[in-house]
């Protein structure tokens, strides 16, 4: 993305391109479905979710297909974002200052780039859990098609799948909390694509400096 | 499988109480298989197919009597033929009628997530209700005897019903009725246990089988199908009958500690975030800090 074009009229900054937003929502919508149907199979107390989501057998049939789309979209995020997600010294300092972040004293935080260290953690957490969910999920889906299929592998897959899903649920709850409640304006960024300059300066000052700096300098 | 008029004491994937639990008046039923008098005639296999109206499937020929390696979704009862060389060099045939063991603590039922897909009647029979089955295959991971099998077309799992439909009408299972040597017996568990023990004693005392004994593994809460074996110290010889079967540790871990940990973590997480919001609120209020003029363009 060429930086100059990220400064929009009316004090807004472009944060996510259309391609990024579509990818985000392909992952988000399928994740919600996977979460609902998965939790239905996780606990008898939530089995009604599978009924509400179209029927128990339908849920079992569609869960793996939704899983494929989810896997593909998270993989594409990796393609788009992996270079921006590398851990830096600032990130190390960010983790040390976590208590200021979690108590809303953002002025005491080291300046974050396009992604702060927590967001990077979320990304990598989802990336690795996605791999585990995919491998174990494929195996649970149709074990009979694998020549090396064995009961032992199936038993391990059930455990891995449930544990990885739980891990993502933890990430997901924090993700929703931050995006919907804590950082007002973040939700709009994955819908409309833009955030206000105030938002950019407040939560991603290093990123804002980068684009504002480039916007000020002549086009190359 | 069958619509039997029996009370239910355990239901898979079920939240809440179970109608028949602790209302037991009936006796636990049991099938006794005396492997020492089985001649491998397969009459029981045919009777099972006949009574349950199962379609005939392809068999394999590998120069033995073993027509297929294991039970199938539509073949619930299979004689396993095992050649065994005794210490004195003589050959012995160990034949075992293999089918669902109707475990007291069924691993299949423990693993199943679907409400009512697997039930255990108060008489001990474990029965799959295909109408409720979602085809996830979890039961397969829970069974220590590798019994439940998936119908690849309908994605529902099938296995021996212990002829629930016959038993609920006061009849013996079809296999029992067909056995020409009388090596199969059916009755209440206590009686079958007694009969089995007396047969094992007979084998020990008069037939030179000092290790003869009864197979009723306690690890799965005892079974509704028990065997008399020539050598109860080596059940593996009979086509891989596990010596000390139990619900797999993976299933116990998954349905036990992992479930508890997961539920506590999820509920705790939700409460924690909610309280955090009550305490700290949003990082900034949109009206004050962030809304700077009308919305800009988009890409
Ligand atoms: C990536 C591709 C995925 C595939 C191929 C896949 C496949 C499967 C399969 C075959 C099952 C067995 C039961 C069923 O079919 O519903 C299952 C269960 C489950 N899935 Fe997935 N899944 C995927 C992703 C996910 C994701 C992203 C989540 C996140 C919430 C998830 C959560 C669950 C849960 C909670 C269960 C039930 C586990 C249990 O009963 O303990 N799955 N999955
Ligand atoms: S496949 Fe087995 S575990 Fe899954 S719903 Fe059917 S009976 Fe239950
Ligand atoms: S033998 Fe397997 S299928 Fe039969 S009751 Fe036991 S665990 Fe279930």
């Amino acid at each position: 993305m060429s930086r100059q074009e990220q400064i929009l009229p009316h004090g807004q900054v472009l944060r996510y391109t259309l391609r990024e937003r579509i990818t985000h929502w392909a992952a988000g919508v399928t994740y919600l479905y996977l979460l609902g149907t998965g939790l239905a199979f996780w606990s008898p107390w939530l089995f009604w979710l599978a009924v509400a989501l179209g029927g128990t057998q339908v849920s079992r049939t569609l869960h793996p297909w939704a899983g494929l789309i989810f896997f593909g979209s998270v993989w594409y995020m990796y393609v788009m974002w992996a270079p921006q997600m590398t851990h830096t010294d600032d990130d190390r300092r960010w983790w040390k200052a976590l208590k200021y972040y979690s108590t809303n004293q953002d002025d005491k935080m080291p300046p974050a780039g396009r992604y702060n260290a927590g967001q990077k953690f979320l990304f990598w957490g989802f990336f690795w859990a996605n791999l585990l969910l995919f491998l174990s999920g494929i195996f649970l889906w149709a074990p009979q098609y694998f020549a090396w299929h064995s009961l032992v592998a199936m038993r391990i897959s059930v455990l891995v799948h449930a544990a990885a899903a739980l891990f993502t649920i933890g990430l997901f709850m924090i993700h929703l909390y931050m995006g919907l409640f804590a950082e007002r304006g973040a939700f709009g960024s994955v819908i409309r694509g833009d955030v206000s300059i105030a938002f950019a300066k407040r939560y991603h000052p290093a990123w804002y400096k980068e684009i504002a700096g480039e916007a000020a300098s002549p086009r190359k | 499988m069958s619509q039997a008029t029996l009370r239910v004491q355990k239901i898979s994937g079920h939240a809440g109480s179970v109608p028949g639990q602790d209302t037991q008046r009936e006796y636990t039923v049991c099938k006794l298989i005396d492997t020492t008098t089985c001649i491998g005639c397969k009459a029981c296999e045919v009777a099972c197919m006949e009574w349950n109206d199962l379609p005939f499937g392809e068999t394999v020929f590998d120069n033995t009597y073993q027509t297929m390696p294991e039970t199938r979704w539509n073949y619930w009862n299979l004689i396993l033929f095992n050649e065994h060389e005794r210490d004195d060099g003589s050959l012995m045939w160990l034949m075992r009628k293999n089918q669902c063991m109707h475990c007291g603590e069924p691993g299949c039922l423990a693993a199943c997530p679907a409400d009512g897909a697997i039930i255990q009647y108060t008489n001990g029979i474990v029965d799959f209700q295909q109408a409720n089955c979602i085809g996830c295959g979890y039961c397969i991971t829970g069974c220590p005897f590798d019994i439940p099998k998936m119908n690849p077309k309908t994605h529902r799992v099938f296995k021996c019903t212990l002829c629930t439909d016959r038993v609920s009408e006061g009849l013996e299972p079809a296999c029992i009725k067909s056995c020409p040597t009388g090596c199969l017996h059916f009755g209440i568990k206590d009686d079958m246990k007694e009969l089995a023990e007396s047969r094992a004693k007979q084998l020990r005392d008069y037939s030179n089988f000092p290790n003869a004994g009864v197979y009723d593994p306690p690890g799965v809460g005892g079974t509704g199908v028990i065997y008399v074996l020539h050598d109860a110290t080596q059940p593996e010889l009979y086509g891989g009958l596990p010596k000390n079967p139990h619900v797999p540790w993976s299933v116990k871990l998954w349905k036990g500690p992992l479930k508890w940990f997961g539920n506590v973590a999820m509920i705790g997480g939700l409460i924690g975030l909610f309280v955090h919001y009550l305490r700290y609120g949003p990082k900034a209020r949109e009206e004050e800090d962030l809304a700077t003029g009308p919305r800009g363009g988009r890409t």
Side-chain angles (χ1 to χ4, degrees):
Chain A
M1 180 170 20
S2 62
R3 297 259 158 69
Q4 297 89 331
E5 276 129 42
Q6 283 181 260
I7 303 288
L8 304 172
H10 311 295
Q12 299 291 111
V13 188
L14 179 68
R15 185 154 168 81
Y16 292 116
T17 62
L18 182 61
R19 180 198 305 246
E20 287 173 318
R21 278 175 275 155
I22 288 177
T23 310
H24 176 269
W25 285 109
V29 170
T30 49
Y31 184 82
L32 283 176
Y33 180 80
L34 290 161
L35 182 65
T37 51
L39 283 178
F41 304 134
W42 162 260
S43 168
W45 297 95
L46 297 174
F47 195 61
W48 58 271
L49 277 169
V51 180
L53 286 167
T56 57
Q57 279 111 12
V58 173
S59 299
R60 168 57 179 81
T61 308
L62 294 187
H63 178 104
W65 290 104
L68 291 188
I69 301 176
F70 177 76
F71 175 75
S73 22
V74 174
W75 190 263
Y76 193 61
M77 288 180 183
Y78 173 75
V79 172
M80 291 188 305
W81 293 338
Q84 307 172 28
M85 296 291 178
T86 47
H87 210 66
T88 64
D89 285 341
D90 273 342
D91 293 327
R92 247 175 297 277
R93 266 179 277 133
W94 191 94
W95 281 114
K96 287 213 184 82
L98 185 63
K99 71 168 184 292
Y100 300 117
Y101 186 78
S102 61
T103 51
N104 295 353
Q105 306 176 58
D106 294 294
D107 43 328
K108 297 197 185 138
M109 297 302 293
R114 188 176 186 209
Y115 295 104
N116 67 35
Q119 290 170 310
K120 290 178 182 176
F121 181 77
L122 178 92
F123 174 84
W124 289 113
F126 260 102
F127 175 77
W128 290 110
N130 184 42
L131 281 184
L132 290 178
L133 284 164
F134 177 71
L135 292 176
S136 57
I138 288 282
F139 201 77
L140 288 173
W141 192 2
Q144 64 272 23
Y145 295 125
F146 296 94
W148 41 277
H149 108 259
S150 74
L151 269 176
V152 176
M154 246 181 112
R155 285 174 183 150
I156 293 171
S157 295
V158 174
L159 281 179
V160 168
H161 202 79
L166 276 177
F167 175 63
T168 66
I169 290 169
L171 294 176
F172 184 64
M173 289 197 303
I174 296 172
H175 181 57
L176 278 194
Y177 181 72
M178 298 310 301
L180 289 178
F181 303 109
E183 287 193 3
R184 297 283 170 87
F187 189 66
S189 74
V190 279
I191 299 284
R192 298 180 314 271
D194 54 22
V195 292
S196 63
I197 285 176
F199 180 100
K201 276 186 179 157
R202 185 181 181 107
Y203 300 123
H204 303 280
W207 174 64
Y208 181 71
K209 219 189 219 161
E210 210 178 301
I211 41 181
E214 292 222 3
S217 67
R219 268 174 190 267
K220 291 179 196 109
Chain B
M1 183 63 188
S2 39
Q3 301 295 316
T5 54
L6 293 169
R7 277 174 293 172
V8 172
Q9 62 176 350
K10 262 188 204 164
I11 304 179
S12 64
H14 188 69
S17 69
V18 176
Q21 204 163 32
D22 300 329
T23 64
Q24 185 157 13
R25 186 180 60 91
E26 294 165 74
Y27 298 99
T28 305
V29 296
C30 179
K31 173 155 68 182
L32 163 58
I33 301 170
D34 181 0
T35 60
T36 65
T37 50
C38 173
I39 56 171
C41 71
K42 307 189 193 198
C44 55
E45 291 186 15
V46 177
C48 178
M49 310 270 297
E50 285 281 325
W51 177 259
N52 294 298
D53 241 340
L54 299 172
F56 284 95
E58 279 193 15
T59 53
V60 290
F61 181 62
D62 63 353
N63 287 316
T64 72
Y65 283 124
Q66 199 65 58
T67 44
M68 54 183 81
E70 51 179 24
T71 60
R72 296 176 180 165
W73 75 266
N74 56 5
Y75 208 96
W76 302 338
N77 175 30
L78 181 71
I79 304 289
L80 299 177
F81 294 82
N82 302 282
E83 289 175 14
H84 171 55
E85 207 181 295
R86 302 181 73 180
D87 292 338
D88 63 5
S90 63
L91 183 79
M92 203 178 146
W93 231 342
L94 305 178
M95 285 165 290
R96 179 169 68 90
K97 176 184 181 306
N98 186 33
Q99 77 279 283
C100 171
M101 300 293 284
H102 297 275
C103 306
E105 304 286 341
C108 56
L109 193 148
C112 176
D115 196 353
I118 305 180
I119 56 179
Q120 186 183 45
Y121 295 111
T122 50
N123 68 7
I125 295 179
V126 178
D127 200 14
F128 284 25
Q129 309 288 307
Q130 281 78 17
N132 297 330
C133 170
I134 60 170
C136 61
Y138 287 177
C139 51
I140 299 169
T141 71
C143 176
F145 299 97
D146 197 13
I147 288 299
K149 302 276 152 59
M150 182 95 67
N151 174 342
K153 270 213 189 89
T154 64
H155 288 279
R156 309 289 163 93
V157 171
F158 293 80
K159 69 158 189 68
C160 156
T161 68
L162 207 75
C163 286
T164 316
D165 45 355
R166 292 176 59 92
V167 172
S168 67
E169 298 296 332
L171 298 170
E172 74 277 62
C175 53
I176 310 287
K177 192 162 170 149
S178 70
C179 179
T181 69
C183 82
L184 302 182
H185 303 262
F186 183 76
I188 67 171
K189 176 102 185 226
D190 294 342
D191 292 353
M192 292 301 109
K193 208 55 199 287
E194 210 178 298
L195 186 60
E197 291 293 357
S198 69
R199 172 62 181 156
K201 185 169 179 342
Q202 197 181 30
L203 288 163
R204 285 193 298 267
D205 293 352
Y206 304 110
S207 303
N208 198 22
F209 286 112
N211 291 330
V214 180
Y215 185 83
D216 180 21
V220 289
T223 48
V225 174
I226 62 176
Y227 292 107
V228 175
L229 304 176
H230 315 81
D231 186 352
T233 62
Q234 287 180 287
E236 300 89 349
L237 295 178
Y238 296 78
L241 196 58
K243 189 163 202 160
N244 181 21
H246 48 83
V247 178
W249 61 265
S250 62
V251 172
K252 283 188 192 151
L253 179 65
W254 163 39
K255 297 287 176 177
L258 185 64
K259 186 134 295 186
W260 274 104
F261 169 77
N263 290 345
V264 169
M266 283 189 282
I267 295 169
L270 283 178
I271 296 173
L273 288 175
F274 188 57
V275 171
H276 184 270
Y277 193 73
L278 295 182
R279 168 69 182 77
Y280 295 104
K283 283 185 170 293
R285 293 197 200 171
E286 209 156 3
E287 323 85 73
E288 284 171 18
D289 312 84
L290 294 175
T292 50
R295 294 282 168 220
R298 47 205 71 177
T299 301

